[in-house]
């Protein structure tokens, strides 16, 4: 069992930045691919970003590429999502995810946190 706890969400204006953090309660954290998934009412859920266990591979959805950066600190069991130049369409609940790479990027992760709300006003 992997427990994931997100933090860092909030209300910001368009163009501002936020950094989300996710701490994993997992001895095998460094073996998991980690990612972020978002969902907002009336819209399809989206895999925002993912990072492989040893940092060698990252992926981003087209909607955030160039604005968001995913990183991880295996010593701290933590994954981050730096979000710059936020837009109103980034408003969503952001979930931290952990899984093997295939399931993570397909939007079917083995583990998911409770989520943190990000709201971007125009």
């Amino acid at each position: 069992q992997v427990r994931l706890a997100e933090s860092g969400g909030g209300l910001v204006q368009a163009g501002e930045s936020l950094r989300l953090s996710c701490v994993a309660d997992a001895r095998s954290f460094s073996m998991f691919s980690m990612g972020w998934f978002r969902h907002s009412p009336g819209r399809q859920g989206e895999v925002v970003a993912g990072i492989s266990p040893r940092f060698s591979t990252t992926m981003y959805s087209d909607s955030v590429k160039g604005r968001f950066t995913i990183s991880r600190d295996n010593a701290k069991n933590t994954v981050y999502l730096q979000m710059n130049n936020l837009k109103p369409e980034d408003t969503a609940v952001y979930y931290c995810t952990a899984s093997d790479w295939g399931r993570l990027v397909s939007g079917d992760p083995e583990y998911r946190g409770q989520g943190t709300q990000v709201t971007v006003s125009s």
Side-chain angles (χ1 to χ4, degrees):
Q1 184 69 23
V2 175
R3 296 179 181 178
L4 304 171
E6 304 96 335
S7 62
L11 172 63
V12 297
Q13 293 186 338
E16 295 185 339
S17 299
L18 279 175
R19 188 175 82 154
L20 304 183
S21 299
C22 170
V23 179
D25 178 13
R27 294 181 179 179
S28 55
F29 174 81
S30 63
M31 297 178 63
F32 284 98
S33 291
M34 301 297 296
W36 293 91
F37 180 93
R38 69 184 181 185
H39 185 264
S40 59
R43 299 181 66 179
Q44 189 172 3
E46 180 181 24
V47 178
V48 175
I51 185 167
S52 61
R54 300 299 179 185
F55 319 98
S56 59
T57 302
T58 58
M59 63 76 60
Y60 298 93
S61 67
D62 288 341
S63 61
V64 307
K65 200 170 294 182
R67 299 187 296 121
F68 290 12
T69 302
I70 189 171
S71 61
R72 65 189 294 164
D73 185 338
N74 286 347
K76 296 182 178 180
N77 279 19
T78 302
V79 62
Y80 305 97
L81 185 67
Q82 177 67 43
M83 306 185 294
N84 297 329
N85 189 23
L86 282 161
K87 303 176 180 180
E89 52 263 41
D90 294 318
T91 295
V93 178
Y94 285 71
Y95 299 91
C96 178
T97 59
S99 194
D100 60 78
W101 185 254
R103 288 185 64 175
L104 189 114
V105 300
S106 67
D108 181 33
E110 187 172 4
Y111 301 102
R112 192 176 80 170
Q114 293 298 309
T116 185
Q117 176 71 45
V118 172
T119 302
V120 185
S121 63
S122 57

Tab-separated table of all heavy atoms in Angstrom, residues 6 8 12 25 32 45 53 74 98 120:
chain	number	residue	atom	x	y	z
A	6	GLU	N	-0.835	15.151	-0.983
A	6	GLU	CA	-0.512	16.345	-1.753
A	6	GLU	C	-0.647	17.604	-0.908
A	6	GLU	O	-1.431	17.643	0.042
A	6	GLU	CB	-1.452	16.476	-2.965
A	6	GLU	CG	-1.503	15.301	-3.900
A	6	GLU	CD	-2.644	14.361	-3.613
A	6	GLU	OE1	-3.109	14.334	-2.444
A	6	GLU	OE2	-3.078	13.639	-4.530
A	8	GLY	N	0.043	22.245	-1.420
A	8	GLY	CA	0.515	23.331	-2.252
A	8	GLY	C	-0.526	23.967	-3.154
A	8	GLY	O	-0.237	24.949	-3.834
A	12	VAL	N	-4.845	31.398	-7.190
A	12	VAL	CA	-3.896	32.363	-7.739
A	12	VAL	C	-4.527	33.049	-8.945
A	12	VAL	O	-5.551	32.598	-9.467
A	12	VAL	CB	-2.573	31.694	-8.171
A	12	VAL	CG1	-1.852	31.079	-6.977
A	12	VAL	CG2	-2.822	30.646	-9.252
A	25	ASP	N	4.227	7.762	1.434
A	25	ASP	CA	4.533	6.868	2.554
A	25	ASP	C	4.786	5.492	1.949
A	25	ASP	O	3.884	4.659	1.874
A	25	ASP	CB	3.364	6.835	3.522
A	25	ASP	CG	3.608	5.876	4.681
A	25	ASP	OD1	4.760	5.444	4.855
A	25	ASP	OD2	2.639	5.542	5.383
A	32	PHE	N	8.882	3.482	-7.980
A	32	PHE	CA	7.651	3.867	-8.662
A	32	PHE	C	7.886	5.002	-9.647
A	32	PHE	O	8.660	5.927	-9.382
A	32	PHE	CB	6.604	4.338	-7.647
A	32	PHE	CG	5.949	3.236	-6.888
A	32	PHE	CD1	6.391	2.901	-5.617
A	32	PHE	CD2	4.874	2.539	-7.424
A	32	PHE	CE1	5.785	1.883	-4.907
A	32	PHE	CE2	4.261	1.526	-6.713
A	32	PHE	CZ	4.710	1.203	-5.453
A	45	GLY	N	-10.623	13.825	-17.283
A	45	GLY	CA	-9.391	13.824	-16.523
A	45	GLY	C	-8.186	13.793	-17.441
A	45	GLY	O	-8.244	13.295	-18.567
A	53	PRO	N	11.257	6.344	-12.348
A	53	PRO	CA	11.912	6.186	-11.036
A	53	PRO	C	13.292	6.825	-10.934
A	53	PRO	O	13.651	7.360	-9.893
A	53	PRO	CB	11.983	4.675	-10.875
A	53	PRO	CG	10.843	4.160	-11.667
A	53	PRO	CD	10.755	5.069	-12.853
A	74	ASN	N	14.114	11.411	-4.363
A	74	ASN	CA	13.924	10.066	-3.815
A	74	ASN	C	14.357	9.968	-2.357
A	74	ASN	O	13.860	9.126	-1.613
A	74	ASN	CB	14.672	9.046	-4.668
A	74	ASN	CG	13.969	8.790	-5.994
A	74	ASN	OD1	12.819	9.176	-6.194
A	74	ASN	ND2	14.679	8.139	-6.913
A	98	ALA	N	1.045	7.204	-8.355
A	98	ALA	CA	2.208	6.328	-8.311
A	98	ALA	C	1.846	5.014	-8.971
A	98	ALA	O	0.778	4.452	-8.694
A	98	ALA	CB	2.656	6.088	-6.866
A	120	VAL	N	-7.400	29.025	-10.650
A	120	VAL	CA	-6.724	30.139	-11.308
A	120	VAL	C	-7.789	31.113	-11.795
A	120	VAL	O	-8.635	30.766	-12.619
A	120	VAL	CB	-5.868	29.656	-12.479
A	120	VAL	CG1	-5.085	30.826	-13.079
A	120	VAL	CG2	-4.924	28.545	-12.048
